Amino acid sequence: DSLWANSSAKSPFRMYGEVMDLDGTFSVTDKGISGTGTADWDDATLISNHFIFEADEMFADTAQLIIKSLDGDKVTFNTPNVNAAVDFIKYTGYFKSNLDDNRTEFGYNQYETNLDEVFWDINAKRLEFNASEGSEGAPFRSLHKDQDSLMFLVKKADFNLQTSIIEAHGVKEILVADS
């Protein structure tokens, strides 16, 4: 036996103690609870064609993660194609890129990177990033029009969502020039 249900944008499924809304499809089978669509909560949006829901956690092998700014009017952080795990009791998230060159954008800061792993302490409003093990680091590139081609390699980075400050660690050099 199985149960399938579809939500609408005006009437999403309320989940995890009414912390998260799922706009999409929800199914209960003998193999577990799964779904597709857009999972939305105060801090973020996660979009996937295949969620797995457990009592306190949700997982997706392929998802797009969008972290909202604290005032909710901008996208602070956006990364496509990640493997996602969110724990609604510990209020943490772990995301690992499914691609070697997965572009992650810090909209407010006007930087992009290809960092491989992200740990998110949702309550503390902090993201921790790590480059692929064994690599020289992940490139951090400026998207600001007045910082043409500014780029440096980062082994690890911390991003404070409250201050929008990115702390880059393991940077060997930053090449700059004035023409």
Side-chain angles (χ1 to χ4, degrees):
D1 288 330
S2 60
L3 166 72
W4 291 82
N6 292 311
S7 70
S8 68
K10 291 181 181 179
S11 185
F13 299 112
R14 300 286 294 158
M15 302 174 70
Y16 298 110
E18 301 200 11
V19 170
M20 186 201 79
D21 290 340
L22 176 68
D23 181 14
T25 302
F26 185 81
S27 66
V28 180
T29 68
D30 58 345
K31 294 181 181 173
I33 303 170
S34 61
T36 65
T38 301
D40 189 68
W41 65 101
D42 288 345
D43 301 288
T45 300
L46 197 61
I47 303 165
S48 180
N49 288 328
H50 186 71
F51 289 112
I52 295 173
F53 302 108
E54 293 186 359
D56 302 319
E57 298 172 288
M58 86 173 158
F59 304 91
D61 62 359
T62 305
Q64 177 181 6
L65 172 65
I66 302 165
I67 297 178
K68 303 170 189 175
S69 65
L70 295 181
D71 55 16
D73 68 340
K74 296 178 188 154
V75 172
T76 297
F77 175 83
N78 184 3
T79 188
N81 205 348
V82 292
N83 185 300
V86 179
D87 185 319
F88 286 99
I89 296 296
K90 295 178 183 172
Y91 222 47
T92 58
Y94 175 75
F95 308 91
K96 180 150 177 65
S97 177
N98 288 323
L99 303 170
D100 290 335
D101 193 24
N102 193 15
R103 181 176 181 245
T104 297
E105 188 172 315
F106 297 87
Y108 179 79
N109 299 74
Q110 298 184 48
Y111 271 88
E112 69 179 7
T113 187
N114 299 32
L115 286 164
D116 189 51
E117 294 181 301
V118 179
F119 174 76
W120 182 18
D121 184 331
I122 300 170
N123 284 331
K125 310 285 188 225
R126 292 193 65 86
L127 297 166
E128 298 171 11
F129 302 88
N130 292 299
S132 298
E133 211 167 305
S135 74
E136 291 184 29
F140 253 74
R141 286 178 291 278
S142 176
L143 300 173
H144 192 283
K145 65 179 177 66
D146 294 334
Q147 296 176 346
D148 179 45
S149 69
L150 176 61
M151 192 275 296
F152 48 94
L153 296 177
V154 174
K155 287 280 196 180
K156 183 179 187 276
D158 296 307
F159 180 54
N160 184 318
L161 291 163
Q162 293 172 316
T163 63
S164 296
I165 293 175
I166 301 170
E167 294 178 20
H169 306 280
V171 177
K172 290 183 181 177
E173 64 183 2
I174 299 176
L175 301 175
V176 294
D178 193 7
S179 54

